[in-house]
Amino acid sequence: MSNADLVIKDGLVVIPGTGILETDIAVEGGKISALGGEFTGRKEIIASGRYILPGIIDPHIHLGIFGDLVSEMETETRSGLLGGVTTVGCYMGGPDPYYPSFSNTIAMTEGKVSTDIFFHLGIMTPEQKEEIPRLIEELGITSFKLYMAGIPGLIPDVEDGFLYQTFETAAKIGDGIIICVHAENPSINATYRAELQKVLTDGSLADWSDTQPNFSEEEAVRRASYFAGLAGNRLYFVHISAAESIRTLAAIKSANPKIFVETTSPYLSVTKFSSKGLLAKMVPPFREDASVEALWQAIQNNIVDTIGTDNVTQTLAVKQVEKGMWGAMPGYPALGTHLPTILNYGVNQRGVSLVKVAELMSKKPAEIFGLYPQKGTIAPGSDADLVIIDLDKTVKVDHRNLGSAGDFSLFDGEELKGWPIMTIKSGQLVVKDSQLVGQSQGKFLRRSIG
Ligand SMILES: [Zn+2]
């Protein structure tokens, strides 16, 4: 009998890429020290036959867009932790050079985040593009984002020439760097928006979807994939929403293994006909049922690599639904419901396997963004970030229990079946039955192109 800091007994351990093992997990110094074997723990958790997943990695969140960055580092990572998310990838942007000022943002995470965090930086100007090697070397940031279509009034679009040149810059650096792209055609969107503005002074959530048609996303996917094929860089499509894009990506991905696809848990569970109306206004918009089904099919067929949230923390006062379709802000908080929506709509309703869930929500985000195997699996040497789930637990969602600074949820009032019941971060039990029970100290994850 050896000693360990913590032993988790009697769980069904879901190991992405491997399967489900009935085994104990020993934890020492915040890392997994062994699977199986005879251990006595100074602390013990009895999992009672429940499934244990590697801590969820949400590769796509935003912090500080509408609220204070530092306070959202606290509230939103706490919301993530309550929902079984132990690592977040946060997009940051702005028109100014990042070096060296972004090191201050990294320093701000200290003592604030309760999940681990890594950053992706938006590349919007030639100066920022020139900074890329330095941002990798000196700040440990290896993922960058380009907006083929921005958010009108908030984020500018980039031209194709700039997009292609950034891809070439990335290709020269190699496969350690990854370029993320928001794929939509801004000219198509502008035309559709202008036409609708002539006839609609206000509109529904479904009308909002018509301002950014499905083919606008599909076309941009084709174009960016073509450029990436020529340049030779790794390319990651954020928040893919439309069936048309998925169909195209199935062909593109079979020809180019350097192309990766993310969708989001809201796109897998909400349509443009949602009863939440304009509260669900988003960019890209929610689509029709066929797209939701195509996304689930793409998860089964390995076309989708990762699932994020695109969490944008918002209050009703910021969202301003009362300003109507044109005036309401896009975005919603989604970290606290990320895993429950996938367990409800995917595992419980569609028979998606937990091994698949662990792959798309933990292993692949870790691999694609350079964090594997420190993150993304349950194996000796990996960080002891774990989530124990109860597939039968049913909870009616109430945003007040989700820990976010946002004061609404897309799922308020909806019963979701399948919830995390314990979150273990760096070997500490930090959430039990949706309550914080321990202090979690998250850290900035410095990456290298190794
Ligand atoms: Zn986003």
Side-chain angles (χ1 to χ4, degrees), residues 85-106:
V85 175
T86 52
T87 297
V88 293
C90 181
Y91 285 89
M92 301 292 285
D96 301 324
Y98 293 110
Y99 192 83
S101 63
F102 197 77
S103 52
N104 297 332
T105 305
I106 292 172

Side-chain angles (χ1 to χ4, degrees), residues 333-372:
L335 268 162
T337 46
H338 184 42
L339 181 57
T341 52
I342 298 303
L343 297 179
N344 180 78
Y345 288 102
V347 178
N348 279 323
Q349 288 190 9
R350 290 179 174 82
V352 174
S353 78
L354 285 173
V355 175
K356 179 75 92 179
V357 169
E359 273 170 24
L360 272 65
M361 298 183 83
S362 190
K363 181 173 186 239
K364 280 187 157 186
E367 284 179 337
I368 291 167
F369 292 106
L371 299 167
Y372 190 82

Side-chain angles (χ1 to χ4, degrees), residues 22 26 47 63 74 124 129 210 233 237 256-257 264 268 285 287 301 310 324 331 333 357 360 383 410 435:
E22 209 175 328
L63 296 174
E74 285 189 53
M124 298 167 190
K129 179 164 77 67
D210 294 341
N233 60 297
F237 287 109
N256 186 349
T264 71
L268 287 160
R287 311 288 184 183
N301 299 342
D310 206 357
V357 169
L360 272 65
D383 288 354
L410 292 176
Q435 301 294 325

Side-chain angles (χ1 to χ4, degrees), residues 60 62 145 239 310:
H60 188 159
H62 300 267
K145 181 177 187 184
H239 56 50
D310 206 357

Side-chain angles (χ1 to χ4, degrees), residues 60-62 91 145 147 182 238-239 282-283 310-312:
H60 188 159
I61 72 159
H62 300 267
Y91 285 89
K145 181 177 187 184
Y147 289 83
H182 174 138
V238 298
H239 56 50
M282 187 53 180
V283 177
D310 206 357
N311 181 92
V312 174

